[in-house]
Amino acid sequence: MAPSELRQYDLVLLGATGYTGKLCAEHITKSLPTDLKWAVSGRSYEGLSAVVEEIKSYSPDRIQPAVEVVTLTLDESRSLAQKSRLILNTVGPYFRYSSPIVQACAENGTHYLDVTGELPWVYEMIQKYHDVAKANNAIIIPEIGLESAPSDLLAWSLATLIKKQFSLGTKEVVAAVHEMRSQPSGGTLATIVGILDHYSLSQLAKASAPWALSPVAGPRSSTQVPLATRLLGVRKQPQLGTLITSITAGPNIAIVQRTWGLLRGPESYGPNFQYHEYMRVKNSLAGAIIHFALALGLFALAIPPLRWLCQYAAHNVYAPGQGARKEVTAEESFELRAVAEADEDSSKPQMAMAKFRYDGGIYYLTGVFLAEAAMVLLKEEELTKKLGGGLLTPAMLGQPFIDRLKNAGVVLECRIMPEQ
């Protein structure tokens, strides 16, 4: 394989004709260095050429992307991976299309980023390709979009702050989606209703088991889960409010737990670390209703005829590759808040609080995550050398990633709370 620095491209954006792919291409064109050597890739030359023409208006004087037509067979994936230092992948559902490109990147020492939230597929990729990627110094980071970068970065920031300030580990981080104004894309809807057709219930259960993604065994929780939370899904947290089951919590928790393991958890976050994630609601009654509605919805998706009906309905909202118009997404926003408790023998342990917020299109933010993480991998040579390779997590990119996100409009704040 050619040395990374001698390859034709710095990065290739795979799936550039899709909804998220176009937004990522827009951010690359507007915000990344003008001398970046890059390409857009997908199945249709005509579609890719149209994307190139569209984004050219954002920065006419920069180097315009080349066009690479691929169908994501293993042979074509290997050819593409050998041309580029890094692949950004927005082609979903990932379980259906993207395994060959992960394999190709792992084998050829090509860095790789994607924005999946498909936990069973991520589990499968870790089992198959972590060791291969590590041997070839390929940094592969799935779930570096809304799932699960905000959660992972807040947990890392809080644990880092508590350790720096008090020389203590972190006992628990409780996170909650404080605000979420967004519309799903067609690709997201297709993935949600399609993943149960691909994986068996036993496979889903195995991937979703506590600490399943961590390379080392996780600690047992010493936190007593309140009865109301166990029965109704409702939890009260003084700083965060009334909380309820979050449909996106599973992949986020798994990634945070993997980060704990990759960072040799007892030495970094602490030996008793736990992470829980919810979403904020107005009151307990509303929370209980949402909890049971989600449970009923998941039960319905497990029944094939009802799942097919949902799939039909999803395609009639947005077809894959489509999403909300820009004037609609301009009003979107996302805010995740988190509270951390230091691991100390005290009735009033030290606490810290953090916030991640973005005002603007949520799928545009997904493109921001991909592009800015790419620049960390391309420019931070000491960090990439330290990381080596393997299937890693967003927080492994640390403060350089956070700094780039802040420069792109993300608000990420972290502070010690006053003693009570």
Side-chain angles (χ1 to χ4, degrees):
M1 73 182 75
S4 177
E5 64 275 9
L6 299 180
R7 296 186 184 186
Q8 184 175 352
Y9 305 118
D10 294 319
L11 69 83
V12 171
L13 173 60
L14 189 56
T17 58
Y19 184 63
T20 301
K22 286 180 182 178
L23 295 173
C24 185
E26 178 180 335
H27 183 72
I28 290 172
T29 303
K30 289 179 176 179
S31 303
L32 267 55
T34 57
D35 60 350
L36 184 76
K37 297 179 295 181
W38 67 298
V40 292
S41 184
R43 292 179 295 180
S44 168
Y45 180 83
E46 291 76 15
L48 292 167
S49 298
V51 170
V52 172
E53 192 62 31
E54 180 181 344
I55 63 176
K56 185 177 181 179
S57 62
Y58 299 129
S59 182
D61 297 330
R62 69 171 296 135
I63 296 175
Q64 299 304 315
V67 171
E68 291 281 345
V69 178
V70 296
T71 58
L72 286 187
T73 63
L74 183 55
D75 285 344
E76 291 193 9
S77 295
R78 283 171 172 156
S79 177
L80 187 67
Q82 290 166 2
K83 292 179 181 179
S84 184
R85 297 173 62 191
L86 187 149
I87 301 289
L88 305 182
N89 183 16
T90 65
V91 179
Y94 290 84
F95 67 84
R96 185 168 294 149
Y97 300 116
S98 293
S99 298
I101 191 65
V102 174
Q103 179 180 346
C105 288
E107 292 173 344
N108 288 280
T110 304
H111 301 325
Y112 167 96
L113 305 168
D114 73 36
V115 290
T116 185
E118 301 159 33
L119 182 55
W121 180 76
V122 174
Y123 178 85
E124 180 186 352
M125 294 299 99
I126 291 171
Q127 301 304 310
K128 289 182 176 179
Y129 303 121
H130 172 74
D131 291 340
V132 177
K134 189 174 182 178
N136 292 309
N137 295 318
I139 296 172
I140 295 178
I141 306 179
E143 294 196 41
I144 201 164
L146 201 62
E147 295 168 328
S148 300
S151 304
D152 204 24
L153 293 173
L154 283 193
W156 180 86
S157 297
L158 286 164
T160 300
L161 179 61
I162 286 175
K163 185 175 182 181
K164 178 181 179 181
Q165 198 79 9
F166 306 113
S167 299
L168 293 170
T170 298
K171 183 177 181 181
E172 183 186 26
V173 173
V174 179
V177 177
H178 184 78
E179 183 179 317
M180 177 71 168
R181 291 188 292 165
S182 178
Q183 296 186 28
S185 73
T188 299
L189 292 170
T191 297
I192 292 172
V193 297
I195 198 166
L196 287 174
D197 286 327
H198 186 80
Y199 291 100
S200 67
L201 291 178
S202 63
Q203 288 175 310
L204 293 172
K206 190 173 184 179
S208 303
W211 303 95
L213 266 56
S214 174
V216 296
R220 292 184 179 181
S221 176
S222 60
T223 303
Q224 293 295 321
V225 178
L227 181 62
T229 303
R230 294 200 300 268
L231 295 179
L232 304 175
V234 177
R235 176 172 179 173
K236 298 275 190 176
Q237 211 290 331
Q239 291 79 21
L240 301 177
T242 303
L243 311 178
I244 190 64
T245 307
S246 170
I247 196 171
T248 60
N252 297 338
I253 292 171
I255 289 297
V256 172
Q257 290 174 342
R258 181 163 178 80
T259 299
W260 176 89
L262 290 169
L263 292 174
R264 299 183 297 277
E267 301 174 24
S268 55
Y269 289 18
N272 300 311
F273 176 80
Q274 297 290 330
Y275 178 85
H276 301 99
E277 186 168 310
Y278 307 89
M279 62 180 180
R280 183 180 68 96
V281 291
K282 291 183 178 180
N283 53 60
S284 297
L285 177 60
I289 292 171
I290 293 171
H291 174 73
F292 286 113
L294 289 174
L296 184 62
L298 291 173
F299 176 76
L301 286 175
I303 302 172
L306 294 178
R307 185 161 69 245
W308 299 332
L309 182 63
C310 292
Q311 196 165 21
Y312 174 80
H315 279 274
N316 282 276
V317 177
Y318 293 121
Q322 298 179 351
R325 302 184 308 276
K326 280 192 175 183
E327 56 267 28
V328 175
T329 63
E331 302 299 319
E332 293 181 345
S333 62
F334 172 79
E335 183 171 323
L336 182 72
R337 295 183 181 181
V339 173
E341 178 183 319
D343 191 5
E344 59 179 327
D345 187 14
S346 170
S347 60
K348 294 182 178 180
Q350 300 289 343
M351 306 277 289
M353 190 167 187
K355 177 179 78 173
F356 180 106
R357 183 175 180 88
Y358 183 79
D359 292 291
I362 299 306
Y363 284 88
Y364 188 87
L365 173 61
T366 300
V368 170
F369 280 128
L370 281 170
E372 299 303 335
M375 291 310 299
V376 174
L377 292 177
L378 293 173
K379 297 297 185 181
E380 300 288 337
E381 294 183 6
E382 289 188 13
L383 175 62
T384 56
K385 185 177 180 180
K386 179 181 177 182
L387 293 175
L391 271 86
L392 308 182
T393 58
M396 301 295 286
L397 300 182
Q399 196 61 44
F401 187 29
I402 291 174
D403 291 342
R404 293 197 68 93
L405 290 175
K406 286 181 176 180
N407 289 335
V410 167
V411 174
L412 201 160
E413 301 171 344
C414 191
R415 61 182 175 85
I416 298 295
M417 296 172 60
E419 295 187 21
Q420 299 180 356

